[in-house]
């Protein structure tokens, strides 16, 4: 009887959890002694090859992989840091602030490049530039814009074509979108002019890159600004229809980061996973996974990613965020 | 010679003092460098915190009656450290929390633009805090914005560790150098003393001249005292020598005069009992004269034995001269005095002393052997340079033979002869002063034999 209740509770619990997650998957479910709970913003498909390799090498470790948005990761982690062993997110600023606030466990024996690590706690493992992705059909016979400036000109030239057919992140919802937008705004005024132009064309706002690429692929929108090129590339069917442009004026490159929760009960196993993650992503092994590798260079040119430093917390300041969002809204949502 | 009582070592004392001083200085250097570095490093962090908080305050403005604070990216960017120090901040308006970390507190509230530093604890790390405030004046209100900024001190302590290591190395290096220097200085100083010592030791026994070689100023008093001591010694030595010669002269001369008067009187006195008295008087005078001569000789020998004046001599030559000189006296007693042995026996010794000793031996042989006896002086090189005087007299009284070389000791056979009992003593002391010995023996066919070997 007792067992039945426990079983029911477990089932209820797991289904209860499942409803809250974008995705939830357990690797090496059967014969594992310990289970690592990883909360992540990266789609399971992209991460699966890496985890498969890890559990193949460590058959006694199982991995429960939970996917949710970057802002949600921050929220959930702050509420129940003991519920997760590892947090993985593309929102570098939120991750850095979690580490700054003391939620991360420093790992002594993870050797990593100094610029890709913070406090020996937060470890970057991909380099992913923000891209302009366009549907080739909309630019048939036209010059393809290579920079933000050229994109502004292209949009201004044919407003009727692009009206209601440009998309970007809704930075109020997406942590990664906010990071890209703030870094762009920091780098150049061009960003605000582009926002105003997009606002004038009744921009569509997306919570997640997946939806944006879906709409782009089926032609609902013609231009997506600040999407992760890696997500677009991952879509096999998009190869022919989409063109990924890395803006030539200034790059905004994000690094996915991971850290081990200070409240974890399996620090050894979690550290082992981070070690594996870092080395797997630094030097490609057996055919490599789907995630972009961590590299300092992009297409031969020096492309420094957004620095892992306390300055990332600047735009997380409440006053600063309010100010930025109101400027963003007034530029983009022109009612 | 007695070695002086030794207490402590000047070298050790000097070396210890210098090395101890160096150690204390090295420690002082270490702590001074370290504390200075702590100050500088802390000042460096404070300066950056100050710049950061100032740039944050500068971004504060009142717009539409509300506070707007557009945090500059550089404010946090400049706080990046190699050790990835954590940063915390809080923005307060008139003491009410506006943004940032709510759990970051500063002991004091806003103080009208003054900067304040404080050390504290924040989320499991020691932090250096700064607080600064600024008064903003709007259209119809005035309000005070306070910003508290805190940073952990990982980079600072890393730097300090490194500086401490370097300061320790510096201190050690300094100490090593100073220790080597003090060893060098010590041995250089002690070396001067050693030089003086060896130049004193190297001197000949008669060399009592003052030291004239230059010495360091500190040693000059010592050398001056040494020189004056030697001067006095030299003076008193030559005075004693003079004194002995003078004393011999003074005693002998009046005695000779008295004797010659007694002799003359003896010629004139006819009464047998008076003549007998005069004869005993002459004998007593002879005894005194002999005693005085032997005493002074003995004194001279005792004195010279400490400062032998060795020179290269040939013992055969010495013996021959004495034989020649004493032959007339021997002839008076119908004694034959012969010399035999090796043709040359070179030896380095004090001529005056050896002459004196041999003369005493020949003297004894002549004195104690009967008339027409034969006296033989033999000089040999082997086994050791030696001079032997043998006679054909009655020989030494056997039961006394051991004691005859002691002072004033005369044998039973000496009752009728004039003597003081110092002759053999002188001979023994001369032999011993030269590191040799005297041997008394009776010959098988009768007669005494005395051997001086050097
Ligand atoms: N050649 C000798 N034959 C026998 N007895 C001797 C001989 N030489 C020394 N003696 C004995 O040894 C004693 C000590 O001799 P020593 O020369 O010391 O004294 P001395 O001859 O009596 O006095 P002086 O001091 O005047 O020589 C003598 O008194 C004598 O008894
Ligand atoms: Mg004699």
């Amino acid at each position: 009887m007792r067992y039945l209740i426990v079983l029911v509770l477990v089932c209820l619990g797991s289904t209860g959890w499942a409803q809250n997650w974008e995705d939830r998957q357990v690797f090496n479910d059967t014969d594992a002694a310990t289970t690592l709970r990883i909360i992540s913003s990266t789609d399971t498909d992209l991460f699966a090859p890496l985890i498969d390799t890890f559990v193949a090498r460590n058959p006694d470790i199982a991995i429960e992989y939970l996917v949710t948005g970057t802002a949600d990761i921050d929220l959930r982690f702050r509420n129940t840091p003991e519920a997760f062993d590892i947090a993985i997110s593309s929102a570098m600023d939120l991750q850095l602030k979690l580490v700054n606030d003391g939620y991360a466990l420093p790992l002594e024996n993870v050797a990593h490049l100094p610029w890709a690590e913070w406090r020996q706690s937060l470890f970057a493992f991909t380099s992913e530039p923000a891209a302009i992705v366009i549907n080739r059909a909309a630019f048939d016979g036209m010059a393809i814009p290579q920079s933000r400036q050229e994109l502004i000109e292209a949009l201004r030239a044919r407003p009727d074509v692009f009206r209601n057919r440009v998309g970007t992140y809704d930075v109020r919802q997406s942590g990664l979108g906010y990071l890209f937008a703030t870094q762009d705004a920091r780098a150049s005024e061009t960003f605000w002019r582009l926002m105003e132009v997009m606002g004038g064309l009744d921009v569509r706002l997306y919570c997640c890159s997946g939806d944006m690429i879906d709409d782009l692929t089926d032609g609902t929108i013609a231009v997506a600004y600040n999407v992760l090129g890696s997500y677009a590339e991952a879509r096999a069917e998009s190869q022919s229809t989409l063109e990924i442009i890395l803006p030539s004026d200034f790059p905004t490159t994000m690094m996915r980061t991971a850290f081990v929760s200070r409240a974890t009960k399996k620090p050894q196993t979690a550290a082992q996973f981070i070690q594996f993650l870092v080395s797997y992503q630094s030097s490609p092994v057996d055919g490599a996974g789907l995630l972009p590798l961590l590299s300092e260079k992009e297409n031969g040119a020096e492309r420094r990613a957004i620095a892992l430093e306390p300055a990332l917390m600047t735009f997380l300041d409440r006053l600063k965020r309010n100010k930025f969002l109101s400027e963003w809204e007034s530029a983009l949502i022109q009612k | 010679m007695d070695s002086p009582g030794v207490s402590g070592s000047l070298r050790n004392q000097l070396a210890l003092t210098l090395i101890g001083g160096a150690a204390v200085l090295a420690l002082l250097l270490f702590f001074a460098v370290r504390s200075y570095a702590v100050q500088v490093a802390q000042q460096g962090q404070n300066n950056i915190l100050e710049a950061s908080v100032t740039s944050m305050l500068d971004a504060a403005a009142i717009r539409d009656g509300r506070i707007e604070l557009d945090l500059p990216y550089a404010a946090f960017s400049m706080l990046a450290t190699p050790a990835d120090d954590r940063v915390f901040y809080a923005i307060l308006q008139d003491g009410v929390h506006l943004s940032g970390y709510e759990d970051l507190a500063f002991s004091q509230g806003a103080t009208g633009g003054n900067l304040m530093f404080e050390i504290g604890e924040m989320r499991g790390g020691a932090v250096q805090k700064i607080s600064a405030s600024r008064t903003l004046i709007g259209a119809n209100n005035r309000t005070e914005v306070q910003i508290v900024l805190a940073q952990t001190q990982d980079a600072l302590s890393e730097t300090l560790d490194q500086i401490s290591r370097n300061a320790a190395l510096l201190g050690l290096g300094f100490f090593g150098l100073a220790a080597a220097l003090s060893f060098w200085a010590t041995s250089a100083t002690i070396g001067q003393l050693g030089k003086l010592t060896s130049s004193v030791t190297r001197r000949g026994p008669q060399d009592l001249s003052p030291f004239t070689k230059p010495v360091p100023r500190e040693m000059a008093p010592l050398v001056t005292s040494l020189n004056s001591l030697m001067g006095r010694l030299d003076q008193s030595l030559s005075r004693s020598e003079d004194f002995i010669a003078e004393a011999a002269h003074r005693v002998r001369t009046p005695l000779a005069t008295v004797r010659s008067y007694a002799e003359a009187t003896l010629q004139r006195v006819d009464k047998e009992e008076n003549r007998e008295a005069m004869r005993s008087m002459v004998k007593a005078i002879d005894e005194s004269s002999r005693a005085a001569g032997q005493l002074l000789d003995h004194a001279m020998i005792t004195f010279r034995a400490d400062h032998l004046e060795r020179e290269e001599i040939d013992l055969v030559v010495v013996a021959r001269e004495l034989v020649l000189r004493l032959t007339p006296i021997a002839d008076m007693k119908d004694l034959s005095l012969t010399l035999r042995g090796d043709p040359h026996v070179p030896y380095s010794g004090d001529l005056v002393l050896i002459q004196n000793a041999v003369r005493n031996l020949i003297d004894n042989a002549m004195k104690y052997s009967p008339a027409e006896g034969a006296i033989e002086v033999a000089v040999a090189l082997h086994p050791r340079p030696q001079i032997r005087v043998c006679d054909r007299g009655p020989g030494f009284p056997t039961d006394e033979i051991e004691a005859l070389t002691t002072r004033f000791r005369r044998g039973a056979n000496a009752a009728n002869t004039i003597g003081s009992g110092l002759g053999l003593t002188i001979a023994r002391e001369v032999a011993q002063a030269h590191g040799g010995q005297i041997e008394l023996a009776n010959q098988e066919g009768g007669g005494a034999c005395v051997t001086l070997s050097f």
Side-chain angles (χ1 to χ4, degrees), chain B residues 262-263 265-285 416:
Chain B
E263 253 340 325
T265 312
L266 186 61
Q267 300 303 319
R268 289 201 300 273
V269 173
D270 298 327
K271 219 186 223 171
E272 190 48 38
E273 54 188 87
N274 288 351
R275 286 179 71 89
E276 189 55 37
M278 276 329 274
R279 256 190 236 108
S280 354
M281 194 169 139
V282 170
K283 194 180 174 212
I285 292 167
N416 295 319

Side-chain angles (χ1 to χ4, degrees), chain A residues 19-65:
Chain A
Q19 283 165 359
N20 289 330
W21 301 103
E22 278 177 29
D23 189 16
R24 175 182 173 278
Q25 199 165 321
V26 180
F27 294 79
N28 192 26
D29 203 1
T30 47
D31 45 27
T34 46
T35 303
L36 279 183
R37 272 171 74 88
I38 300 178
I39 182 168
S40 171
S41 66
T42 308
D43 290 352
T44 317
D45 313 346
L46 290 175
F47 231 99
L50 188 147
I51 298 180
D52 283 334
T53 313
F54 179 75
V55 293
R57 286 190 199 172
N58 305 280
D60 55 333
I61 301 172
I63 287 182
E64 183 180 4
Y65 190 76

Side-chain angles (χ1 to χ4, degrees), chain B residues 290 294 360 363-364 367-368 410 418-424:
Chain B
R290 174 72 185 170
Q294 288 290 78
N360 264 295
D363 196 52
N364 278 354
K367 198 156 52 175
Y368 297 106
R410 307 199 71 201
I418 292 170
S420 60
L422 280 173
L424 287 179

Side-chain angles (χ1 to χ4, degrees), chain A residues 245-256:
Chain A
I245 303 154
L246 301 179
S248 59
D249 43 3
F250 61 89
T252 307
T253 303
M254 164 279 282
M255 298 188 288
R256 258 175 237 277

Side-chain angles (χ1 to χ4, degrees), chain A residues 78 97 99-103 114 117-120 183 186 262 306-320 323 327, chain B residues 63 67-81 83-89 91 97-101 123 152 154:
Chain A
R78 281 176 192 277
K97 190 153 194 304
V99 176
N100 190 67
D101 292 0
Y103 287 102
E117 151 284 318
W118 200 67
R119 291 192 64 75
Q120 201 58 32
Q183 292 294 328
R186 207 166 72 75
R262 185 177 278 280
I306 299 166
L308 276 176
E309 55 173 22
L312 281 176
M313 303 196 304
T314 310
F315 282 97
L316 297 180
D317 177 67
R318 206 169 54 79
L319 298 176
K320 180 97 176 170
K323 185 167 184 292
E327 277 175 35
Chain B
R63 201 148 296 158
I67 286 227
E68 217 170 68
L69 204 152
D70 190 13
L71 276 187
Y73 205 73
F76 287 148
S77 202
M78 70 175 83
L79 293 174
T81 63
D84 297 335
D85 274 302
R86 293 152 74 188
V87 173
F88 307 98
Y89 72 101
I91 303 172
H97 185 264
L98 213 58
S99 175
Y101 290 79
R123 306 216 176 179
T152 54
D154 300 350

